Amino acid sequence: QVQLVESGGGLVQAGGSLRLSCVASGTFSVLNVMGWYRQAPGKQRELVATMSMGRGAETRYADAEKGRFTISRESANTVYLQMNSLKPDDTAVYYCNLRTGGVVYWGQGTQVTVSA
């Protein structure tokens, strides 16, 4: 009923930038939260940033990414993650997430690889 599609990942050098996009399709309320999580090999999935898709557009960031990453929205179903000053430690699969009506949805992920 709800699908999330991520794009924008790739291979970049340390210090470079990428912008990830997530588009949600289906039927859901604007009263939801969308965000980005990442999972590196051998590690558990962790929060990167989230954003309320309602009027307030409140954001939340993991401490390690605050100041380098920015989450933004284009519409009720589209969010971006601008990633600057990328580090090799940022290498991971980045997943889009949506929480609405008590249900959690995940995208398939997009690979981000940062070389030294």
Side-chain angles (χ1 to χ4, degrees):
Q1 193 169 33
V2 175
Q3 291 185 318
L4 304 174
V5 179
E6 305 99 330
S7 62
L11 174 63
V12 299
Q13 290 183 298
S17 298
L18 285 173
R19 189 180 75 158
L20 307 183
S21 300
C22 176
V23 179
S25 62
T27 301
F28 52 90
S29 173
V30 297
L31 299 177
N32 59 57
V33 175
M34 295 184 69
W36 293 93
Y37 293 71
R38 68 185 184 187
Q39 187 167 21
K43 306 294 183 180
Q44 69 176 17
R45 193 170 299 182
E46 64 179 5
L47 168 74
V48 176
T50 63
M51 184 173 198
S52 170
M53 303 305 287
R55 184 176 180 86
E58 295 88 355
T59 60
R60 180 165 66 98
Y61 295 90
D63 289 342
E65 287 71 48
K66 190 176 298 182
R68 297 192 300 121
F69 293 3
T70 302
I71 188 169
S72 62
R73 69 183 188 186
E74 179 176 321
S75 66
N77 72 327
T78 304
V79 295
Y80 303 102
L81 183 68
Q82 179 67 46
M83 305 189 296
N84 299 324
S85 301
L86 283 163
K87 306 173 181 179
D89 286 348
D90 295 319
T91 295
V93 177
Y94 284 70
Y95 295 91
C96 184
N97 166 273
L98 182 151
R99 297 175 182 269
T100 183
V103 181
V104 180
Y105 300 92
W106 294 95
Q108 294 300 309
T110 183
Q111 177 71 48
V112 172
T113 302
V114 185
S115 64

